[in-house]
Amino acid sequence: MQYRDFGNSGKKLPLLGFGCMRLPVLEDDKTIDEAAAQKMVDYALANGVNYFDTAYTYHHGESEAFLGRALSRYPRDSYYLASKLPIWYIKSEEDVHKYFDGQLKKCQTDYFDFYLMHNYSAESAQTGEQIGIYDILKQKQREGKIRHLGFSTHDSLEGLAHVASLHEWEFAQLQLNYMDWDLLHSREQYELLTKKNIPVIVMEPVRGGALATLNEGARE
């Protein structure tokens, strides 16, 4: 496994992370196949993949709970855990505390290594900034419950520029793959963030598997 320095934090993150949005499921196409998923987690850790990314809404709200169980057999300092605040559910300051504390409990941890405002866009930021979500999360960071605070987004280049300018972000997560490099202007988004010295973590590198196999025309 290859690693990269995460800013000046002293952390070395693997180039390949483990996303928990599309875990194997049982025949009902809903329930996580925990035996199969546990084997994947074990294999990842055994082979140097120690960055795990989940979110409140993944797998109908069950991804965090599964990951908490799956990682509970490992020392907490042997992996990095990332999760995300469901911005669209937040209507008040109390909601921030409710969801965040619930996520810690589901993940069976006292802190998140990386915590993101989930799909923070120019539109959702209108409400988010009024509530003061960033300031609330910065306080949790000062309390040791968050190590690094960032955001993910699927917004336009203009929307990303707006969100990136709102605060001193420690990292951002972008949809970035060889198709969206041009189609969704991921290149310009990546360049915008790097010019601001905001580290980028990649999501959807193969678009949920859609780019894992080339189509017939491309194969030819």
Side-chain angles (χ1 to χ4, degrees):
M1 181 56 59
Q2 298 181 39
Y3 298 85
R4 291 288 185 271
D5 292 328
F6 179 71
N8 298 318
S9 68
K11 293 182 173 68
K12 290 186 176 295
L13 302 187
L15 284 184
L16 180 64
F18 191 110
C20 296
M21 181 179 178
R22 299 181 180 89
L23 297 169
V25 294
L26 299 177
E27 293 182 358
D28 62 5
D29 287 328
K30 179 180 179 180
T31 306
I32 296 172
D33 184 340
E34 296 214 11
Q38 181 71 60
K39 289 181 180 180
M40 294 169 66
V41 169
D42 294 341
Y43 185 87
L45 282 163
N47 288 275
V49 179
N50 60 359
Y51 183 96
F52 294 86
D53 174 282
T54 185
Y56 181 85
T57 56
Y58 291 175
H59 279 284
H60 308 282
E62 294 301 320
S63 177
E64 289 177 321
F66 159 74
L67 195 57
R69 292 189 291 272
L71 293 174
S72 65
R73 63 184 65 184
Y74 295 96
R76 183 61 182 85
D77 60 359
S78 67
Y79 60 86
Y80 298 115
L81 177 61
S83 195
K84 311 176 188 74
L85 182 72
I87 293 298
W88 51 95
Y89 291 161
I90 305 302
K91 307 301 180 185
S92 67
E93 178 178 342
E94 290 72 22
D95 284 342
V96 180
H97 297 291
K98 179 181 72 172
Y99 283 101
F100 181 84
D101 293 343
Q103 289 177 285
L104 285 178
K105 184 176 181 180
K106 285 201 296 182
C107 290
Q108 300 186 33
T109 187
D110 296 323
Y111 68 93
F112 291 110
D113 298 283
F114 296 85
Y115 195 71
L116 304 87
M117 296 167 69
H118 199 169
N119 196 13
Y120 206 48
S121 64
E123 180 178 358
S124 61
Q126 295 180 29
T127 300
E129 296 305 304
Q130 290 177 353
I131 295 173
I133 297 175
Y134 179 87
D135 294 331
I136 298 170
L137 295 179
K138 286 298 288 185
Q139 177 58 36
K140 293 189 181 297
Q141 186 176 33
R142 288 188 287 270
E143 295 170 357
K145 297 177 181 178
I146 296 172
R147 296 294 189 260
H148 301 284
L149 180 59
F151 70 96
S152 67
T153 189
H154 294 276
D155 207 349
S156 65
L157 179 62
E158 293 75 17
L160 171 64
H162 173 69
V163 171
S165 68
L166 291 173
H167 304 288
E168 294 294 324
W169 302 103
E170 295 180 68
F171 69 102
Q173 190 175 55
L174 291 180
Q175 181 171 324
L176 202 160
N177 53 65
Y178 69 79
M179 180 176 176
D180 293 325
W181 189 248
D182 294 316
L183 182 65
L184 296 183
H185 306 289
S186 295
R187 176 178 181 174
E188 289 90 337
Q189 292 187 329
Y190 174 79
E191 291 174 344
L192 184 153
L193 291 173
T194 54
K195 287 179 181 178
K196 288 180 170 290
N197 294 315
I198 300 176
V200 175
I201 292 178
V202 174
M203 61 176 159
E204 302 287 353
V206 288
R207 270 203 164 210
L211 302 180
T213 303
L214 298 176
N215 61 41
E216 184 177 348
R219 286 197 302 272
E220 292 176 353

